[in-house]
Amino acid sequence: MRIIRFLDGQQKWLAAVTDDEQAYRLPQADFMTLIYQARKQGISPVQLVESAFKPLNKLTDDWTSLHLITPLEAPEVWAAGVTYQRSREARNYEATEGKLDAKTFYDKVYDAERPEIFFKSTAARTIGPLEAVTLRSDSNWQIPEPELGLVLAADGSIVGYIVGNDMSCRDIEGENPLYLPQAKMWRNSCSIGPAIRLAETVQNPYAFNIVCEIYREGEIVVKSEASTSELNRKLDELVSFLARDNDLFDGTVLLTGTSIVPPNDFTLAPGDRIEISISDIGTLINPVISN
Ligand code: DO4
Ligand code: MG
């Protein structure tokens, strides 16, 4: 069971999408209201959602044709880094200009008890389905980072899973790791959506398949696949470090790192289209424009 949000005129609506792709309008104003109403009534979010499955609430046959927006306004988006071997290798490559013999801080953080967690975005900065991610004007090496996102309640519980894109500038980070905030945060560099999979409907979050496709002038130029089974950390471990001596707000999203890195000679260009799919969650599509 997934939760989406869409625009009907000026009005934002929450809706549920079943595993057989039927969509129903929901009465709740937003995703976290749904979670708390269910908790208050002592039922699961799925049970609460199913109580709205009436003919009157049924939506168009193809929910993907709705005007989808971010399924929640995440007050903060955080991101974990170097949580997969592939990311460690890519960071080492950009930090050492391809001389892979030296041990770097990326090797250290991959093995360390403390994960790398950084601040990525705020609600006002985060974009959703079909909105354009933008390229930094002072970088020549930019890529999407397709990541599984955790939707968190203020108590740190994982209430859902979402698709995220942690756009990154490999040259800026490679020049100096202290430039990480500029390599990661600029206008429209964080996208999430199109749906939140309710946590209770996920049997094994270490079995999600992630696919990234990048199209240029109608042709596919990058296609790569990964699985959350390759994650070097436990999801609860990432959440516990994020929550340590920190206030979590309802609906915070934690991106869990990337295992997909396009070939080293690839950089995004205006006009590209990025499609990130995670099994049982959905496909996040964003065109790319210059800043
Ligand atoms: O160390 C930089 C960030 C790495 C990252 O964002 C990732 O591994 O996904
Ligand atoms: Mg990342």
Side-chain angles (χ1 to χ4, degrees):
M1 184 80 73
R2 287 160 293 167
I3 305 299
I4 56 169
R5 222 164 44 126
F6 66 96
L7 267 182
D8 187 1
Q10 295 299 311
Q11 173 90 33
K12 292 174 184 162
W13 287 98
L14 207 63
V17 179
T18 63
D19 287 350
D20 56 2
E21 307 293 330
Q22 303 295 313
Y24 293 87
R25 203 185 289 261
L26 297 174
Q28 288 79 18
D30 56 61
F31 179 74
M32 289 311 298
T33 301
L34 172 84
I35 298 297
Y36 283 110
Q37 270 184 16
R39 285 187 184 181
K40 205 166 163 200
Q41 291 177 32
I43 58 175
S44 73
V46 170
Q47 286 172 308
L48 182 59
V49 161
E50 283 176 348
S51 66
F53 286 6
K54 302 187 175 120
L56 189 68
N57 296 330
K58 199 160 188 294
L59 289 165
T60 161
D61 283 343
D62 180 10
W63 63 273
T64 58
S65 64
L66 295 167
H67 184 165
L68 298 173
I69 55 175
T70 54
L72 86 168
E73 271 156 46
E76 296 180 345
V77 179
W78 295 77
V82 201
T83 50
Y84 291 88
Q85 175 66 14
R86 179 71 191 100
S87 177
R88 172 195 201 173
E89 287 163 7
R91 296 321 135 203
N92 277 339
Y93 181 89
E94 66 215 23
T96 63
E97 292 163 347
K99 298 186 223 46
L100 290 175
D101 43 354
K103 219 175 161 41
T104 71
F105 23 77
Y106 296 109
D107 296 304
K108 283 192 191 163
V109 79
Y110 185 80
D111 292 324
E113 190 200 343
R114 183 190 294 279
E116 175 195 2
I117 295 180
F118 57 91
F119 192 80
K120 175 70 185 179
S121 192
T122 62
R125 290 174 165 276
T126 303
I127 60 167
L130 297 182
E131 290 188 273
V133 289
T134 62
L135 297 173
R136 264 195 90 108
S137 57
D138 57 356
S139 165
N140 295 312
W141 196 14
Q142 300 185 63
I143 56 162
E145 289 191 355
E147 305 192 7
L148 174 69
L150 312 177
V151 181
L152 305 174
D155 62 6
S157 54
I158 300 172
V159 291
Y161 298 92
I162 193 167
V163 182
N165 178 358
D166 168 28
M167 291 281 287
S168 299
C169 299
R170 296 187 70 183
D171 47 359
I172 296 179
E173 184 180 344
E175 187 180 342
N176 191 318
L178 295 182
Y179 294 154
L180 188 76
Q182 292 173 76
K184 292 290 189 180
M185 288 180 73
W186 68 93
R187 189 180 307 119
N188 292 7
S189 66
C190 180
S191 174
I192 57 171
I196 300 169
R197 176 134 210 131
L198 287 170
E200 67 181 290
T201 68
V202 175
Q203 279 195 341
N204 179 7
Y206 302 99
F208 282 118
N209 193 49
I210 307 177
V211 178
C212 177
E213 295 176 332
I214 304 174
Y215 293 86
R216 184 166 295 169
E217 287 164 9
E219 303 281 319
I220 191 157
V221 287
V222 171
K223 177 161 183 171
S224 195
E225 229 171 294
S227 162
T228 52
S229 63
E230 299 154 33
L231 198 52
N232 189 42
R233 305 266 179 185
K234 291 287 169 232
L235 299 175
D236 287 346
E237 177 193 347
L238 295 175
V239 175
S240 79
F241 273 95
L242 174 62
R244 189 179 284 188
D245 294 320
N246 190 20
D247 291 323
L248 287 186
F249 302 111
D250 277 324
T252 292
V253 168
L254 174 57
L255 303 179
T256 55
T258 191
S259 181
I260 294 181
V261 182
N264 289 330
D265 61 359
F266 177 84
T267 187
L268 286 167
D272 288 353
R273 192 175 81 252
I274 305 164
E275 298 196 7
I276 302 172
S277 306
I278 302 189
S279 50
D280 301 327
I281 306 180
T283 302
L284 174 62
I285 303 176
N286 296 106
V288 180
I289 59 170
S290 50
N291 239 311

